[in-house]
Amino acid sequence: MAKISDTAINGHFTGKDILSLDQFSPSDIQLLFKHVSDMAKIAKNAKASDLLKGNIVTLIFYEPSSRTFGSFSASVKQLGGQTVEIQNPQSFSSVSKGETLEDTMRVFEAYCDAIVIRHPVQGTAEKAAAACTAVPIINAGDGVGEHPTQALLDLYTIYEKHGRLDNLTGLAAGDILNGRTVHSLIKGLSLYEGNTLYLLSPEQLRLSKTDYDKFSKKGIKLIEISNENEIPKDCDFWYWTRVQKERFTDMQEYESVKNKFIITPKLLAEYGNENLIIMHPLPRVGEIETTIDDDDRAVYLKSQIRNGMYVRMALVALVLGRL
Amino acid sequence: MAKISDTAINGHFTGKDILSLDQFSPSDIQLLFKHVSDMAKIAKNAKASDLLKGNIVTLIFYEPSSRTFGSFSASVKQLGGQTVEIQNPQSFSSVSKGETLEDTMRVFEAYCDAIVIRHPVQGTAEKAAAACTAVPIINAGDGVGEHPTQALLDLYTIYEKHGRLDNLTGLAAGDILNGRTVHSLIKGLSLYEGNTLYLLSPEQLRLSKTDYDKFSKKGIKLIEISNENEIPKDCDFWYWTRVQKERFTDMQEYESVKNKFIITPKLLAEYGNENLIIMHPLPRVGEIETTIDDDDRAVYLKSQIRNGMYVRMALVALVLGRL
Amino acid sequence: MAKISDTAINGHFTGKDILSLDQFSPSDIQLLFKHVSDMAKIAKNAKASDLLKGNIVTLIFYEPSSRTFGSFSASVKQLGGQTVEIQNPQSFSSVSKGETLEDTMRVFEAYCDAIVIRHPVQGTAEKAAAACTAVPIINAGDGVGEHPTQALLDLYTIYEKHGRLDNLTGLAAGDILNGRTVHSLIKGLSLYEGNTLYLLSPEQLRLSKTDYDKFSKKGIKLIEISNENEIPKDCDFWYWTRVQKERFTDMQEYESVKNKFIITPKLLAEYGNENLIIMHPLPRVGEIETTIDDDDRAVYLKSQIRNGMYVRMALVALVLGRL
């Protein structure tokens, strides 16, 4: 399987680097999601899959992320593939001796059929992809940059429930200013017609003017609200996020906003509806009460997590040319 | 395979959490041991086993334990299964950002068919089991709490040699006060009739009065001795343990007791017998002289270690419903 | 497969510890290389290999080495085997509690069919091999001691290109005093007739007199040069190495020599020839300009890396008796 340098998917996943949601058109997403459904069946089936038998995928994580790491590791193994797992390579001798990222990547591409990379610095996945000439790179998150599989699993979770990605009404709450996952969700929903997203956040954590204008131009209707009583009752999904402590230098300011918006049974009873799903990219630290967890509409610890694995199974198998 | 919430095994392992030796009756232990013998045959056979093909087991270790980690990892792979391996998740971003154990567990249960957890805090495995609704939890040691597979491998090692777990005479030596493995051994042997255990320790490291009374009530005969010359010559096993430095605040006191009881060739010649086996939960730091290692009766670096793997193979396969 | 204690290979790899290049005769190397070629075909073939199905190899790395670790991990998995992976065991409880290397090794040999060990202290692999009575040990580098698979992959890379290991002219540059890989290369080439090696280094980093005499006696012709204009134009290979910062106490001295010899397009044009290959054991930190990387003669990020995996595949399969 030769590596393809075109970035747009255009219906062909084999050999492509997966670096950003921007590579996907609605028909690419549709194609992927058809396979994701199949992956769900394979994972639930007791019979083992040999789809990736003989394939080795390197997981190289320059920052710890237990969930994404575990999800990719399980994805490959669910399909009968194997992984080479390298965590915190910066503590490894070659990197600490001054080896460049490019050299490290070219070493690892010799051992495997694809590389999944996680890195704290934006743009690193792209750099890795440029260095590797033999195998495709999958971006598992590079700092404030992209995390395409997270974006795709969020979209799939909405699609799985509602059967479409257009003409939806949703609510995103929490840190709208910095939240990478919310930005990706907006970008993804912008690919489709007729979507409206309410944005509920403390004043300090609203979208920047630049982002608001950029996203609005793409066709999605964004409505900023600042009070829970403005939540529309016909939402198809709620996408709650954590207020990220690490973004604040003033801890008093953090304390004043961190629990401003919490999903409680009362809030859900008042503003939720029967067909709603409640999503969260995790980790959660109090912004959804645990009493909500067992509600059928709460998918953040259930299908949203499983869908992450299914999306990664499909994506890995597609870039390896096995689907 | 649905998860079962009953804690007692009662002859049915499939879907059960394995948290404590207390879940096992003598007939459960008998059933397990029948499978352990089969596992030994599988492991020794050059032909690969596919018993767990298609199964993924997560090993999540919140404290390092190379032996237990390696033993579980090998157990799953000996049977053709796969693992997702997460070590030191507390250094991972989601946990350091304040994610609860319960959320972490619910994330990982989405990726796999069973979770093996090691944690420094007593009661954590039980908490994990309560959080997970889809897959069984196996306790690989939670602080001063339980470590059921260690207890079962110790019992199996005695059973393998002597063909029974009743009417045995044994000696436990070292730190009887704090040693979790000795306490589990006492508990295990208490399930059977006619067992006598001599307890040899420095004065400061005797069983607490509470434990002595509690264990004695269960039917096992406990005889405390303080001098090597009180060791009976008809022991079926010696169970030696390390005096745990980390329990002492006064290093002078530690130095005075740490090497009080050491197995030397002389001690073995004087008090051992032909059918004795010498056990140790490891690590050993001097309390058995290395000249003893090649004695056929010394099993601590031989069958006791291998039995740990066989017991874990059987247990994992049983809770996964593959046996 | 019983473990064999003889150290010389003598045509029989099954059950042997692989500790040093000194165990290999030219005919052993020939036998190995025949299998290495086959391994290359297996790795490139899309069809999965089951050669090591049912085998478990423990990788125990007491110091981090992402390249060697990844190479061994991939080697085993390319052939359908499984690994138990233990990194930084010194941070693990049993070792920190004072367990000896010998005990640790005897624990892990109970779980697997072979152990690959990396350790910062010279002689450790030999100690491990002496402790293990059941499974073969493969040395993946022990400090300034041996790293036999690195030596073998370097020899194979030359052999693959030139079809022979005798009557070669080569150039080794950089830190000739301390470079373990250069010393191994000299040793390896000394097994064959008619080889000449030019040694280009700063004055301070020449071979010690002892080493010069020792190596020269073995039959290889060593010619020390100190200026690039002494490089002969008929070299079959260049073996470039890093000047190791960690060897210097005087940073000013380090700065003065670290980039004394750099491969630039100009140097290559002037002194290289068509059949040359350019090798480097990596990591590289500036001593070969990246513009050289895409030259067909530059093999350090290409076949030299892949050959490392193929050599390890063949070696592991051979000691496990699967070839």
Side-chain angles (χ1 to χ4, degrees), chain B residues 62 99-106 117 119 123-125 127-128 131:
Chain B
Y62 285 81
E99 184 169 70
T100 61
L101 177 88
E102 284 80 359
D103 278 15
T104 305
M105 288 299 123
R106 290 192 71 173
I117 184 172
H119 199 283
T124 304
K127 254 173 88 176

Side-chain angles (χ1 to χ4, degrees), chain A residues 4 30 81-82 89 191 210 223 284:
Chain A
I4 309 295
Q30 199 56 41
Q82 292 273 22
L191 293 170
T210 317
I223 302 174
R284 136 183 88 166

Side-chain angles (χ1 to χ4, degrees), chain A residues 33-175:
Chain A
F33 284 2
K34 189 179 74 62
H35 290 296
V36 174
S37 311
D38 293 343
M39 293 299 124
K41 282 173 212 144
I42 288 176
K44 284 168 188 161
N45 195 321
K47 226 180 122 240
S49 165
D50 278 337
L51 193 65
L52 296 187
K53 193 177 172 193
N55 281 124
I56 296 181
V57 177
T58 294
L59 312 182
I60 188 161
F61 273 55
Y62 285 81
E63 72 177 356
S65 169
S66 56
R67 189 172 35 259
T68 305
F69 180 83
S71 183
F72 269 110
S73 179
S75 298
V76 174
K77 290 162 185 171
Q78 286 279 4
L79 295 174
Q82 292 273 22
T83 56
V84 167
E85 304 186 346
I86 304 290
Q87 296 192 59
N88 301 316
Q90 58 275 45
S91 76
F92 279 34
S93 53
S94 54
V95 176
S96 70
K97 283 172 191 158
E99 184 170 70
T100 62
L101 177 87
E102 284 81 358
D103 278 15
T104 305
M105 288 300 124
R106 291 191 71 174
V107 166
F108 279 94
E109 73 170 347
Y111 303 152
C112 66
D113 303 305
I115 297 176
V116 175
I117 184 171
R118 168 90 170 200
H119 200 282
V121 177
Q122 183 173 18
T124 304
E126 211 166 327
K127 252 172 89 177
C132 287
T133 57
V135 308
I137 299 293
I138 298 176
N139 185 358
D142 55 348
V144 296
E146 298 269 349
H147 190 1
T149 57
Q150 176 71 45
L152 291 163
L153 80 88
D154 287 339
L155 291 175
Y156 183 78
T157 300
I158 296 170
Y159 174 79
E160 185 192 34
K161 169 68 185 181
H162 296 295
R164 65 180 199 281
L165 287 173
D166 55 19
N167 297 298
L168 294 161
T169 299
L171 167 70
D175 182 350

Side-chain angles (χ1 to χ4, degrees), chain B residues 171 173-174 228 238-243 258-268 276-295 297-302 304, chain C residues 98 100 103 106:
Chain B
L171 167 71
E228 289 169 346
W238 288 358
Y239 194 94
W240 230 259
T241 67
R242 183 174 64 92
V243 171
K258 73 168 180 180
N259 285 329
K260 205 163 154 64
F261 303 115
I262 296 179
I263 307 186
T264 61
K266 187 168 168 290
L267 185 86
L268 182 55
L276 176 72
I277 53 173
I278 307 170
M279 302 170 70
H280 192 297
L282 304 185
R284 137 184 88 165
V285 283
E287 60 275 8
I288 303 178
E289 288 193 0
T290 55
T291 45
I292 305 294
D293 296 0
D294 290 328
D295 192 298
R297 293 167 291 183
V299 299
Y300 45 86
L301 286 171
K302 292 173 256 177
Q304 199 180 353
Chain C
T100 62
D103 278 15
R106 291 192 71 173

Side-chain angles (χ1 to χ4, degrees), chain A residues 16-298:
Chain A
K16 292 267 172 72
D17 299 312
I18 304 297
L19 303 177
S20 161
L21 189 61
D22 294 337
Q23 298 171 259
F24 291 78
S25 70
S27 73
D28 295 328
I29 292 176
Q30 199 56 41
L31 179 58
L32 174 68
F33 284 2
K34 189 179 74 62
H35 290 296
V36 174
S37 311
D38 293 343
M39 293 299 124
K41 282 173 212 144
I42 288 176
K44 284 168 188 161
N45 195 321
K47 226 180 122 240
S49 165
D50 278 337
L51 193 65
L52 296 187
K53 193 177 172 193
N55 281 124
I56 296 181
V57 177
T58 294
L59 312 182
I60 188 161
F61 273 55
Y62 285 81
E63 72 177 356
S65 169
S66 56
R67 189 172 35 259
T68 305
F69 180 83
S71 183
F72 269 110
S73 179
S75 298
V76 174
K77 290 162 185 171
Q78 286 279 4
L79 295 174
Q82 292 273 22
T83 56
V84 167
E85 304 186 346
I86 304 290
Q87 296 192 59
N88 301 316
Q90 58 275 45
S91 76
F92 279 34
S93 53
S94 54
V95 176
S96 70
K97 283 172 191 158
E99 184 170 70
T100 62
L101 177 87
E102 284 81 358
D103 278 15
T104 305
M105 288 300 124
R106 291 191 71 174
V107 166
F108 279 94
E109 73 170 347
Y111 303 152
C112 66
D113 303 305
I115 297 176
V116 175
I117 184 171
R118 168 90 170 200
H119 200 282
V121 177
Q122 183 173 18
T124 304
E126 211 166 327
K127 252 172 89 177
C132 287
T133 57
V135 308
I137 299 293
I138 298 176
N139 185 358
D142 55 348
V144 296
E146 298 269 349
H147 190 1
T149 57
Q150 176 71 45
L152 291 163
L153 80 88
D154 287 339
L155 291 175
Y156 183 78
T157 300
I158 296 170
Y159 174 79
E160 185 192 34
K161 169 68 185 181
H162 296 295
R164 65 180 199 281
L165 287 173
D166 55 19
N167 297 298
L168 294 161
T169 299
L171 167 70
D175 182 350
I176 310 296
L177 175 63
N178 302 298
R180 175 176 65 182
T181 57
V182 173
H183 293 201
S184 292
L185 185 66
I186 296 174
K187 239 200 239 180
L189 291 173
S190 297
L191 293 170
Y192 302 86
E193 308 219 320
N195 288 323
T196 303
L197 193 61
Y198 288 78
L199 304 173
L200 172 63
S201 68
E203 192 64 39
Q204 308 96 312
L205 296 175
R206 290 192 168 201
L207 265 190
S208 70
K209 179 83 176 69
T210 317
D211 280 342
Y212 183 89
D213 291 347
K214 184 181 76 181
F215 290 135
S216 293
K217 263 183 214 142
K218 294 194 172 174
I220 192 172
K221 192 168 168 190
L222 296 175
I223 302 174
E224 294 186 313
I225 60 178
S226 53
N227 195 301
E228 289 170 346
N229 63 22
E230 298 173 81
I231 299 174
K233 298 200 174 176
D234 63 343
C235 279
D236 298 302
F237 63 87
W238 288 358
Y239 194 95
W240 231 258
T241 66
R242 185 173 63 92
V243 172
Q244 299 176 53
K245 194 175 179 177
E246 56 272 34
R247 300 286 184 187
F248 287 82
T249 45
D250 180 345
M251 281 303 115
Q252 216 167 345
E253 194 187 350
Y254 167 69
E255 291 299 328
S256 77
V257 300
K258 72 169 181 179
N259 285 328
K260 205 164 156 62
F261 303 114
I262 296 180
I263 306 186
T264 61
K266 187 167 168 294
L267 185 86
L268 182 56
E270 209 155 336
Y271 300 100
N273 65 62
E274 216 171 53
N275 289 312
L276 176 71
I277 53 171
I278 307 169
M279 301 168 72
H280 192 297
L282 305 184
R284 136 183 88 166
V285 283
E287 60 275 7
I288 302 178
E289 287 193 0
T290 56
T291 46
I292 305 295
D293 297 359
D294 292 327
D295 191 298
D296 282 344
R297 293 168 290 183

